[in-house]
Amino acid sequence: MTVLPFSVTTPTHIAKVGLKARDGEALAAFYRNLLGLDEQSRRDGAIVLGATGRELIEIESVPSSKPDDPRSAGLFHTAFLLPSRRDLARWVRRASENRIPVSGASDHLVSEALYLSDPEGNGIEIYADRPKEDWVRDGGDIAMATNRLDVDNLLGELDGDTPSWTSAPDGTVIGHVHLRVGDPSVAEDWWHSEFGFATMAKYGTQAVFLASGGYHHHIGANTWQSAGAGSRDADRAGLSFVELASSDHASSTKHDPWGTEIRVSAV
C-alpha cells in the first residue's frame, strides 16, 4: 500500500500542473528522462505524465505559442516531492551520473531541494520533506530558510544495496507550486478568500507561502522577477493551469488576479 506524503493528505492539495509547450513531444520526453515519469494517456491534444497511476503533469503542444516571459505572471517552479530522503539521494546520484544540469541546491529546514529548468524555461524543484514533527515554528510562521544543501550528507543515505533510479518511485507527487505574481499581498488575500489557505511564512514583502492543513506550503507566490506584473498573456507558453484536489471545495475553475487558471477537483 502506497504511503503518501503529508502534502497530499491535507483537505486541499496540488493534484496536477498543466503546461503549454511549443514542442510538446520534446518536453514530455524531457520529463520522462528527468524523473522517469510514465505516459498515462493522451487526450485533447495533450500528453499526460505521472507516476504509478497518479497524473502529475499535462503537456499541451501549441507550436504557435510565444516563449514564456520570466518577468510576467506565471510559473516559477513545479515542485516534485519524492517519498523519502533516500529517494532524493538516489535522484541526485542519477543526475550526477547522467550530467543533468542543476541550477541550485538548498536546505530549507523543512525540506531539501534541487532546482533546474526544463528546455522551455519552466522551473522545476525536486525535493524531499523532513518529518513534519521536526518543523520549527518561528512566531506564527513555519521556519524556512535557503541554506546550502549538504550534498555529501544527503548522499550518505546510499549504500551498495541502494537500487539505481529507473522510474519515479511510488508516492511521488507534486508537493507545491510556486507562482510568479505581481504582488504577493494580493495573492495572499486571494488564496485566503478563495480557498481558506493559511499563511505559513513570508520572505519580507517579496514572497508568501500558503497552505491547507498545516503543510509548509502548497502555493508560493513571489515577485523576485515579476514585480508589478499584469495579467498573463494567454498566447505564451508556460503554465496552463494548476489543478487542486479538495474535500472542502466543489469542482470549479477560477482565475487568480493575474489570470492564472486554478482548477478544483472535488474528492
Side-chain angles (χ1 to χ4, degrees), residues 54-136:
R54 177 181 290 267
E55 295 185 358
L56 297 178
I57 190 164
E58 183 173 315
I59 300 171
E60 178 190 9
S61 189
V62 185
S64 61
S65 297
K66 295 179 288 187
D68 192 23
D69 179 358
R71 299 165 298 177
S72 69
L75 181 68
F76 190 70
H77 63 237
T78 300
F80 294 91
L81 173 57
L82 303 182
S84 71
R85 190 173 194 252
R86 188 171 186 241
D87 288 319
L88 183 63
R90 290 172 57 224
W91 185 85
V92 170
R93 180 175 66 184
R94 180 179 182 278
S96 176
E97 291 172 349
N98 289 273
R99 300 183 181 275
I100 296 172
V102 172
S103 58
S106 298
D107 183 335
H108 294 302
L109 305 183
V110 295
S111 63
E112 295 171 290
L114 286 297
Y115 296 91
L116 64 156
S117 295
D118 73 22
E120 298 204 5
N122 300 296
I124 299 167
E125 177 180 343
I126 300 171
Y127 77 115
D129 277 333
R130 289 198 166 95
K132 65 178 183 296
E133 295 79 12
D134 296 342
W135 301 351
V136 175

Side-chain angles (χ1 to χ4, degrees), residues 215-227:
Y215 190 55
H216 55 72
H217 70 294
H218 290 106
I219 293 292
N222 77 68
T223 52
W224 295 326
Q225 298 170 295
S226 57

Side-chain angles (χ1 to χ4, degrees), residues 181-189 205-208 210 221-223 258:
V181 300
D183 185 338
S185 65
V186 173
E188 181 180 23
D189 290 344
T205 61
Q206 294 186 321
V208 63
L210 306 122
N222 77 68
T223 52
W258 297 273

Side-chain angles (χ1 to χ4, degrees), residues 85 105-107 112-113 130 147-156:
R85 190 173 194 252
S106 298
D107 183 335
E112 295 171 290
R130 289 198 166 95
N147 300 327
R148 183 174 178 271
L149 180 64
D150 188 338
V151 176
D152 290 338
N153 181 271
L154 175 62
L155 291 175

Side-chain angles (χ1 to χ4, degrees), residues 8-33:
V8 294
T9 65
T10 60
T12 303
H13 53 268
I14 306 297
K16 182 169 58 179
V17 167
L19 298 177
K20 183 188 295 184
R22 304 181 80 200
D23 186 339
E25 292 289 349
L27 201 61
F30 172 84
Y31 281 95
R32 283 195 293 264
N33 177 65

Side-chain angles (χ1 to χ4, degrees), residues 15 17 24 38 52 80 119 122-123 145 172 184 191 209 225 235 242 257 261:
V17 167
D38 54 71
T52 58
F80 294 91
N122 300 296
T172 299
W191 285 93
F209 301 89
Q225 298 170 295
D235 291 331
V242 176
E261 182 172 310

Side-chain angles (χ1 to χ4, degrees), residues 156-226:
E157 293 281 331
L158 306 177
D159 58 34
D161 296 326
T162 303
S164 298
W165 185 285
T166 56
S167 60
D170 194 13
T172 299
V173 301
I174 295 180
H176 67 268
V177 175
H178 204 142
L179 301 172
R180 306 186 309 248
V181 300
D183 185 338
S185 65
V186 173
E188 181 180 23
D189 290 344
W190 189 83
W191 285 93
H192 284 180
S193 64
E194 295 295 330
F195 296 106
F197 277 23
T199 298
M200 307 307 291
K202 292 184 179 182
Y203 286 0
T205 61
Q206 294 186 321
V208 63
F209 301 89
L210 306 122
S212 165
Y215 190 55
H216 55 72
H217 70 294
H218 290 106
I219 293 292
N222 77 68
T223 52
W224 295 326
Q225 298 170 295
S226 57

